[in-house]
PDB file of all heavy atoms in Angstrom:
ATOM      1  N   TYR W  63     -31.495  19.506 -10.248  1.00 97.00           N
ATOM      2  CA  TYR W  63     -31.863  19.389 -11.713  1.00 97.00           C
ATOM      3  C   TYR W  63     -32.194  17.937 -11.970  1.00 97.00           C
ATOM      4  O   TYR W  63     -33.223  17.614 -12.773  1.00 97.00           O
ATOM      5  CB  TYR W  63     -30.836  19.920 -12.546  1.00 97.00           C
ATOM      6  CG  TYR W  63     -31.100  19.854 -14.036  1.00 97.00           C
ATOM      7  CD1 TYR W  63     -31.767  20.938 -14.623  1.00 97.00           C
ATOM      8  CD2 TYR W  63     -30.755  18.666 -14.852  1.00 97.00           C
ATOM      9  CE1 TYR W  63     -32.113  20.848 -15.976  1.00 97.00           C
ATOM     10  CE2 TYR W  63     -31.197  18.588 -16.123  1.00 97.00           C
ATOM     11  CZ  TYR W  63     -31.752  19.757 -16.696  1.00 97.00           C
ATOM     12  OH  TYR W  63     -32.177  19.644 -18.170  1.00 97.00           O
ATOM     13  N   GLU W 101      -2.726  48.161  -3.461  1.00 89.00           N
ATOM     14  CA  GLU W 101      -1.639  49.183  -3.732  1.00 89.00           C
ATOM     15  C   GLU W 101      -2.577  50.439  -4.164  1.00 89.00           C
ATOM     16  O   GLU W 101      -3.629  50.402  -4.608  1.00 89.00           O
ATOM     17  CB  GLU W 101      -0.909  48.859  -5.027  1.00 89.00           C
ATOM     18  CG  GLU W 101      -0.310  47.412  -4.808  1.00 89.00           C
ATOM     19  CD  GLU W 101       0.126  46.982  -6.133  1.00 89.00           C
ATOM     20  OE1 GLU W 101       1.169  47.524  -6.667  1.00 89.00           O
ATOM     21  OE2 GLU W 101      -0.496  46.068  -6.775  1.00 89.00           O
ATOM     22  N   LEU W 103      -1.703  53.283  -6.625  1.00 92.00           N
ATOM     23  CA  LEU W 103      -0.736  53.687  -7.594  1.00 92.00           C
ATOM     24  C   LEU W 103      -1.148  55.074  -8.203  1.00 92.00           C
ATOM     25  O   LEU W 103      -2.305  55.584  -8.086  1.00 92.00           O
ATOM     26  CB  LEU W 103      -0.733  52.718  -8.859  1.00 92.00           C
ATOM     27  CG  LEU W 103      -0.185  51.398  -8.567  1.00 92.00           C
ATOM     28  CD1 LEU W 103      -0.113  50.585  -9.966  1.00 92.00           C
ATOM     29  CD2 LEU W 103       0.996  51.336  -7.865  1.00 92.00           C
ATOM     30  N   GLU W 104      -0.186  55.571  -8.640  1.00 92.00           N
ATOM     31  CA  GLU W 104      -0.287  57.121  -9.269  1.00 92.00           C
ATOM     32  C   GLU W 104       0.015  56.853 -10.745  1.00 92.00           C
ATOM     33  O   GLU W 104       0.906  56.198 -11.065  1.00 92.00           O
ATOM     34  CB  GLU W 104       0.682  58.026  -8.666  1.00 92.00           C
ATOM     35  CG  GLU W 104      -0.076  59.201  -7.934  1.00 92.00           C
ATOM     36  CD  GLU W 104       0.985  60.011  -7.290  1.00 92.00           C
ATOM     37  OE1 GLU W 104       1.898  60.675  -8.019  1.00 92.00           O
ATOM     38  OE2 GLU W 104       1.024  60.043  -6.001  1.00 92.00           O
ATOM     39  N   ASP W 106       0.001  59.168 -14.620  1.00 94.00           N
ATOM     40  CA  ASP W 106      -0.429  60.480 -15.352  1.00 94.00           C
ATOM     41  C   ASP W 106      -1.673  60.174 -16.222  1.00 94.00           C
ATOM     42  O   ASP W 106      -1.756  59.133 -16.813  1.00 94.00           O
ATOM     43  CB  ASP W 106       0.691  60.834 -16.192  1.00 94.00           C
ATOM     44  CG  ASP W 106       1.917  61.420 -15.364  1.00 94.00           C
ATOM     45  OD1 ASP W 106       1.620  61.982 -14.377  1.00 94.00           O
ATOM     46  OD2 ASP W 106       3.055  61.444 -15.900  1.00 94.00           O
ATOM     47  N   TYR W 107      -2.483  61.140 -16.218  1.00 95.00           N
ATOM     48  CA  TYR W 107      -3.647  61.056 -17.165  1.00 95.00           C
ATOM     49  C   TYR W 107      -2.948  61.256 -18.598  1.00 95.00           C
ATOM     50  O   TYR W 107      -1.948  61.855 -18.735  1.00 95.00           O
ATOM     51  CB  TYR W 107      -4.614  62.246 -17.060  1.00 95.00           C
ATOM     52  CG  TYR W 107      -5.684  61.907 -15.919  1.00 95.00           C
ATOM     53  CD1 TYR W 107      -5.691  62.611 -14.778  1.00 95.00           C
ATOM     54  CD2 TYR W 107      -6.612  60.956 -16.296  1.00 95.00           C
ATOM     55  CE1 TYR W 107      -6.773  62.270 -13.800  1.00 95.00           C
ATOM     56  CE2 TYR W 107      -7.601  60.688 -15.378  1.00 95.00           C
ATOM     57  CZ  TYR W 107      -7.772  61.333 -14.214  1.00 95.00           C
ATOM     58  OH  TYR W 107      -8.713  61.091 -13.331  1.00 95.00           O
ATOM     59  N   PRO W 160     -46.828  47.508 -47.038  1.00 91.00           N
ATOM     60  CA  PRO W 160     -47.331  48.552 -47.954  1.00 91.00           C
ATOM     61  C   PRO W 160     -47.262  49.751 -47.196  1.00 91.00           C
ATOM     62  O   PRO W 160     -47.809  50.028 -46.167  1.00 91.00           O
ATOM     63  CB  PRO W 160     -48.721  48.272 -48.202  1.00 91.00           C
ATOM     64  CG  PRO W 160     -49.062  47.341 -47.015  1.00 91.00           C
ATOM     65  CD  PRO W 160     -47.850  46.824 -46.391  1.00 91.00           C
ATOM     66  N   ALA W 161     -46.313  50.862 -47.606  1.00 88.00           N
ATOM     67  CA  ALA W 161     -46.187  52.001 -46.894  1.00 88.00           C
ATOM     68  C   ALA W 161     -47.148  53.107 -47.201  1.00 88.00           C
ATOM     69  O   ALA W 161     -47.491  53.962 -46.362  1.00 88.00           O
ATOM     70  CB  ALA W 161     -44.671  52.535 -47.019  1.00 88.00           C
ATOM     71  N   GLU W 163     -50.291  52.641 -48.633  1.00 92.00           N
ATOM     72  CA  GLU W 163     -51.773  52.223 -48.831  1.00 92.00           C
ATOM     73  C   GLU W 163     -52.514  52.613 -47.657  1.00 92.00           C
ATOM     74  O   GLU W 163     -52.078  52.043 -46.485  1.00 92.00           O
ATOM     75  CB  GLU W 163     -51.780  50.719 -49.020  1.00 92.00           C
ATOM     76  CG  GLU W 163     -51.961  50.287 -50.440  1.00 92.00           C
ATOM     77  CD  GLU W 163     -52.078  48.776 -50.529  1.00 92.00           C
ATOM     78  OE1 GLU W 163     -53.040  48.258 -49.793  1.00 92.00           O
ATOM     79  OE2 GLU W 163     -51.166  48.236 -51.169  1.00 92.00           O
TER      80      GLU W 163
ATOM     81  N   ARG Q  24      -1.575  47.251 -15.076  1.00 92.00           N
ATOM     82  CA  ARG Q  24      -1.347  48.258 -14.113  1.00 92.00           C
ATOM     83  C   ARG Q  24      -2.155  49.568 -14.316  1.00 92.00           C
ATOM     84  O   ARG Q  24      -1.776  50.615 -13.711  1.00 92.00           O
ATOM     85  CB  ARG Q  24       0.278  48.616 -14.077  1.00 92.00           C
ATOM     86  CG  ARG Q  24       1.051  47.467 -13.847  1.00 92.00           C
ATOM     87  CD  ARG Q  24       0.708  46.757 -12.577  1.00 92.00           C
ATOM     88  NE  ARG Q  24       1.446  47.179 -11.373  1.00 92.00           N
ATOM     89  CZ  ARG Q  24       1.201  46.755 -10.125  1.00 92.00           C
ATOM     90  NH1 ARG Q  24       0.264  45.879  -9.914  1.00 92.00           N
ATOM     91  NH2 ARG Q  24       1.909  47.182  -9.114  1.00 92.00           N
ATOM     92  N   LYS Q  93     -37.057  21.834 -18.155  1.00 94.00           N
ATOM     93  CA  LYS Q  93     -36.373  21.972 -16.817  1.00 94.00           C
ATOM     94  C   LYS Q  93     -35.580  23.124 -16.740  1.00 94.00           C
ATOM     95  O   LYS Q  93     -34.762  23.428 -17.689  1.00 94.00           O
ATOM     96  CB  LYS Q  93     -35.496  20.605 -16.626  1.00 94.00           C
ATOM     97  CG  LYS Q  93     -36.172  19.530 -15.855  1.00 94.00           C
ATOM     98  CD  LYS Q  93     -35.078  18.661 -15.284  1.00 94.00           C
ATOM     99  CE  LYS Q  93     -35.698  17.222 -15.008  1.00 94.00           C
ATOM    100  NZ  LYS Q  93     -34.745  16.365 -14.692  1.00 94.00           N
ATOM    101  N   ASN Q 180     -47.758  55.530 -42.090  1.00 96.00           N
ATOM    102  CA  ASN Q 180     -46.986  54.751 -42.995  1.00 96.00           C
ATOM    103  C   ASN Q 180     -45.811  54.040 -42.325  1.00 96.00           C
ATOM    104  O   ASN Q 180     -45.509  52.886 -42.698  1.00 96.00           O
ATOM    105  CB  ASN Q 180     -46.480  55.814 -43.958  1.00 96.00           C
ATOM    106  CG  ASN Q 180     -47.500  56.798 -44.500  1.00 96.00           C
ATOM    107  OD1 ASN Q 180     -47.914  57.715 -43.750  1.00 96.00           O
ATOM    108  ND2 ASN Q 180     -47.930  56.533 -45.754  1.00 96.00           N
ATOM    109  N   GLU Q 183     -47.411  50.925 -40.761  1.00 95.00           N
ATOM    110  CA  GLU Q 183     -47.675  50.091 -41.711  1.00 95.00           C
ATOM    111  C   GLU Q 183     -46.543  49.237 -42.171  1.00 95.00           C
ATOM    112  O   GLU Q 183     -46.512  48.056 -42.387  1.00 95.00           O
ATOM    113  CB  GLU Q 183     -48.357  50.803 -42.848  1.00 95.00           C
ATOM    114  CG  GLU Q 183     -49.344  49.929 -43.666  1.00 95.00           C
ATOM    115  CD  GLU Q 183     -49.965  50.745 -44.785  1.00 95.00           C
ATOM    116  OE1 GLU Q 183     -49.509  51.875 -45.024  1.00 95.00           O
ATOM    117  OE2 GLU Q 183     -50.994  50.230 -45.315  1.00 95.00           O
ATOM    118  N   HIS Q 228     -10.192  56.884 -15.831  1.00 94.00           N
ATOM    119  CA  HIS Q 228     -11.360  57.296 -15.177  1.00 94.00           C
ATOM    120  C   HIS Q 228     -11.237  58.659 -14.483  1.00 94.00           C
ATOM    121  O   HIS Q 228     -10.182  59.101 -14.313  1.00 94.00           O
ATOM    122  CB  HIS Q 228     -11.523  56.228 -13.968  1.00 94.00           C
ATOM    123  CG  HIS Q 228     -11.979  54.848 -14.448  1.00 94.00           C
ATOM    124  ND1 HIS Q 228     -13.145  54.357 -14.206  1.00 94.00           N
ATOM    125  CD2 HIS Q 228     -11.253  54.027 -15.170  1.00 94.00           C
ATOM    126  CE1 HIS Q 228     -13.256  53.091 -14.610  1.00 94.00           C
ATOM    127  NE2 HIS Q 228     -12.159  52.824 -15.340  1.00 94.00           N
ATOM    128  N   ARG Q 235      -3.043  64.321  -3.510  1.00 91.00           N
ATOM    129  CA  ARG Q 235      -2.404  63.747  -4.701  1.00 91.00           C
ATOM    130  C   ARG Q 235      -3.220  63.594  -5.878  1.00 91.00           C
ATOM    131  O   ARG Q 235      -2.760  63.209  -7.057  1.00 91.00           O
ATOM    132  CB  ARG Q 235      -1.688  62.345  -4.429  1.00 91.00           C
ATOM    133  CG  ARG Q 235      -0.596  62.537  -3.320  1.00 91.00           C
ATOM    134  CD  ARG Q 235       0.242  61.237  -3.347  1.00 91.00           C
ATOM    135  NE  ARG Q 235      -0.687  60.105  -2.811  1.00 91.00           N
ATOM    136  CZ  ARG Q 235      -0.529  58.911  -3.384  1.00 91.00           C
ATOM    137  NH1 ARG Q 235       0.268  58.666  -4.254  1.00 91.00           N
ATOM    138  NH2 ARG Q 235      -1.216  57.861  -2.879  1.00 91.00           N
ATOM    139  N   LYS Q 240      -2.877  63.819 -12.432  1.00 94.00           N
ATOM    140  CA  LYS Q 240      -2.473  62.510 -11.889  1.00 94.00           C
ATOM    141  C   LYS Q 240      -3.713  61.705 -11.386  1.00 94.00           C
ATOM    142  O   LYS Q 240      -4.528  62.370 -10.673  1.00 94.00           O
ATOM    143  CB  LYS Q 240      -1.488  62.666 -10.746  1.00 94.00           C
ATOM    144  CG  LYS Q 240      -0.165  62.915 -11.326  1.00 94.00           C
ATOM    145  CD  LYS Q 240       0.861  62.042 -10.323  1.00 94.00           C
ATOM    146  CE  LYS Q 240       2.322  62.334 -10.687  1.00 94.00           C
ATOM    147  NZ  LYS Q 240       2.588  62.393 -12.234  1.00 94.00           N
ATOM    148  N   VAL Q 241      -3.807  60.464 -11.826  1.00 94.00           N
ATOM    149  CA  VAL Q 241      -4.956  59.719 -11.281  1.00 94.00           C
ATOM    150  C   VAL Q 241      -4.391  58.672 -10.305  1.00 94.00           C
ATOM    151  O   VAL Q 241      -3.288  58.236 -10.477  1.00 94.00           O
ATOM    152  CB  VAL Q 241      -5.702  58.945 -12.521  1.00 94.00           C
ATOM    153  CG1 VAL Q 241      -4.611  58.227 -13.293  1.00 94.00           C
ATOM    154  CG2 VAL Q 241      -6.768  57.977 -11.866  1.00 94.00           C
ATOM    155  N   GLY Q 243      -5.194  55.384  -7.800  1.00 93.00           N
ATOM    156  CA  GLY Q 243      -6.102  54.270  -7.590  1.00 93.00           C
ATOM    157  C   GLY Q 243      -5.472  52.885  -7.480  1.00 93.00           C
ATOM    158  O   GLY Q 243      -4.284  52.800  -7.394  1.00 93.00           O
ATOM    159  N   ALA Q 286     -59.347  41.652 -28.861  1.00 93.00           N
ATOM    160  CA  ALA Q 286     -60.541  42.078 -28.086  1.00 93.00           C
ATOM    161  C   ALA Q 286     -60.377  42.047 -26.557  1.00 93.00           C
ATOM    162  O   ALA Q 286     -61.310  42.252 -25.857  1.00 93.00           O
ATOM    163  CB  ALA Q 286     -61.727  41.303 -28.445  1.00 93.00           C
TER     164      ALA Q 286
END
Side-chain angles (χ1 to χ4, degrees):
Chain W
Y63 182 89
E101 311 160 73
L103 296 191
E104 239 175 63
D106 282 337
Y107 273 114
E163 258 178 60
Chain Q
R24 302 307 269 174
K93 258 199 205 179
N180 312 76
E183 203 176 17
H228 288 248
R235 295 192 295 139
K240 280 225 181 313
V241 54

